Amino acid sequence: MFALNTRALISSSFGRSLASAVPRGNQCYHGYHSKIKTTVLGGLLGTAAHRMYFEKSGAPISPWHDIPLVADVASNEYNMVCEIPRWSNAKLEIDTVLPFNPIKQDSKKGKPRYVADIFPYKGYIWNYGALPQTYEDPEHTDAETGCVGDGDPIDVIEVGQQICAQGSVHRVKVLGVVALIDDGETDWKVVALRTDDPLAPKIHSVGCLEKYMPGLMAATVDWFTKYKVPDGKPLNKWAFGSSAKDVAYAENVISATHEAWKKLVHLPQSKLSLVSTTVQSSPHCLLPSDASSVFKALTDSSPGQMYTDTPPKARADHKGSAASTKWHYIRGDVVANDTQ
């Protein structure tokens, strides 16, 4: 671990990249989820500058590096960071390049990205997020899928009854995993259920889902297969014939991606942001006081508004995105009701 004084930190390239991450003069919104404070800077959903940062005990943390992967060893519970609430369309993700890895809205040609509504679905059909302290290594070829990783934390689809808030952190139990092949990369999707869900005592595997949530796994495969077609892309492909692997297999995949993350954060340098405040064995770990000084520069001179569970009304989720203002009916690999 190394420590930098505040002046050196702010003048460093790290400080400059953090300070330029969000334009000045925008409102700052705070929320509290799962004992972790989240701060939205740069604008609400629908703005290219939207950033959600995480704090704990008064210091900024990375949702990728500083939230433990395992929530409870004895019961095999994991922590999930929710990036996208169910039924929403904004394509949100943990930014692996910006310092402290905020959640941001993905963009294309300077415009925020949304997923289309594909009949009969509305936006994302589960809570969508990531397991912290994991990494799908783009330089490692999986022996069974034959493809490299996608360079991100491993994805989670949480199938419980409650809609999770963006930036909330939840304990989940793993039910299985499917392997999407996206542009030649292995894109694992861990199927999980919040441990506080009413059905958690009864559902222990993907096989159990059909009894209590009939049709969900079939809909999951259908959605992932087709969701890029409205953007003019082909149907997505699958490993294992789109069949889900069991809990043991899923936990092996999670373990492997956790080991890949361990190697990543101990590299002397990377194009990704490896800054943390808790991974003390990493050369990129900062003292919380130093990290707080840099983070404070983002929020200074920005008017703040406090809220607990319900954020200020954001832009309509579909505004600015023609792709998500209508239902798209997919036939084969084309949009059947495309009028263009």
Side-chain angles (χ1 to χ4, degrees):
M1 175 178 178
F2 66 90
L4 298 175
N5 63 49
T6 301
R7 180 176 297 177
L9 189 63
I10 293 176
S11 64
S12 68
S13 59
F14 163 76
R16 289 196 299 272
S17 63
L18 181 59
S20 63
V22 179
R24 294 290 187 181
N26 289 283
Q27 284 194 323
C28 167
Y29 297 102
H30 300 296
Y32 294 89
H33 306 294
S34 307
K35 300 181 180 180
I36 291 176
K37 179 180 177 181
T38 55
T39 301
V40 174
L41 299 176
L44 298 175
L45 289 179
T47 59
H50 176 77
R51 303 286 187 271
M52 176 179 276
Y53 289 89
F54 290 66
E55 300 171 69
K56 188 172 184 180
S57 301
I61 63 171
S62 160
W64 185 15
H65 305 308
D66 290 316
I67 297 175
L69 167 63
V70 178
D72 187 273
V73 176
S75 57
N76 286 334
E77 295 178 4
Y78 297 86
N79 284 314
M80 167 194 165
V81 179
C82 180
E83 298 162 306
I84 306 171
R86 188 173 61 232
W87 309 137
S88 61
N89 296 76
K91 194 176 189 306
L92 300 164
E93 59 188 8
I94 292 173
D95 189 297
T96 58
V97 176
L98 287 178
F100 300 126
N101 310 113
I103 292 177
K104 72 170 188 178
Q105 188 166 356
D106 193 18
S107 62
K108 185 176 182 180
K109 297 182 179 179
K111 294 183 178 181
R113 290 186 62 190
Y114 299 84
V115 297
D117 290 326
I118 302 171
F119 180 81
Y121 316 114
K122 170 66 180 79
Y124 289 82
I125 63 176
W126 355 250
N127 298 301
Y128 194 86
L131 292 183
Q133 298 187 342
T134 61
Y135 180 57
E136 297 189 61
D137 189 349
E139 296 183 3
H140 171 73
T141 301
D142 185 86
E144 297 200 53
T145 68
C147 298
V148 297
D150 68 356
D152 289 320
I154 197 168
D155 294 325
V156 184
I157 54 176
E158 194 281 317
V159 299
Q161 299 178 23
Q162 299 298 315
I163 296 177
C164 300
Q166 177 194 347
S168 57
V169 180
H170 302 277
R171 288 190 174 197
V172 297
K173 58 191 298 185
V174 170
L175 307 179
V177 68
V178 290
L180 187 71
I181 305 300
D182 191 354
D183 292 329
E185 298 173 336
T186 305
D187 191 3
W188 296 104
K189 309 293 182 184
V190 174
V191 184
L193 180 65
R194 281 174 53 170
T195 57
D196 60 355
D197 189 273
L199 288 174
K202 299 180 179 181
I203 298 178
H204 307 290
S205 67
V206 169
C208 294
L209 282 180
E210 193 60 28
K211 178 179 179 180
Y212 296 98
M213 303 178 190
L216 179 59
M217 285 309 300
T220 295
V221 171
D222 187 53
W223 191 92
F224 274 120
T225 301
K226 298 175 179 176
Y227 83 104
K228 289 187 177 180
V229 172
D231 295 329
K233 295 186 178 181
L235 297 173
N236 275 326
K237 299 179 180 179
W238 295 89
F240 316 120
S242 76
S243 296
K245 293 293 187 177
D246 63 15
V247 174
Y249 192 101
E251 291 184 337
N252 284 336
V253 171
I254 293 169
S255 178
T257 58
H258 183 52
E259 291 301 315
W261 170 82
K262 287 181 181 178
K263 294 179 181 179
L264 175 69
V265 295
H266 289 92
L267 293 176
Q269 59 184 10
S270 171
K271 64 179 181 180
L272 305 178
S273 175
L274 307 181
V275 172
S276 72
T277 57
T278 62
V279 188
Q280 297 186 6
S281 59
S282 168
H284 310 280
C285 188
L286 301 177
L287 286 174
S289 57
D290 288 334
S292 296
S293 297
V294 178
F295 185 74
K296 186 175 183 294
L298 286 176
T299 56
D300 277 355
S301 303
S302 295
Q305 177 175 335
M306 300 300 296
Y307 65 91
T308 303
D309 296 314
T310 305
K313 187 176 181 181
R315 294 185 178 189
D317 196 36
H318 62 271
K319 189 168 289 185
S321 173
S324 56
T325 57
K326 70 175 184 180
W327 245 343
H328 294 73
Y329 293 82
I330 309 298
R331 179 185 295 120
D333 60 354
V334 298
V335 179
N337 64 326
D338 194 348
T339 59
Q340 298 181 353

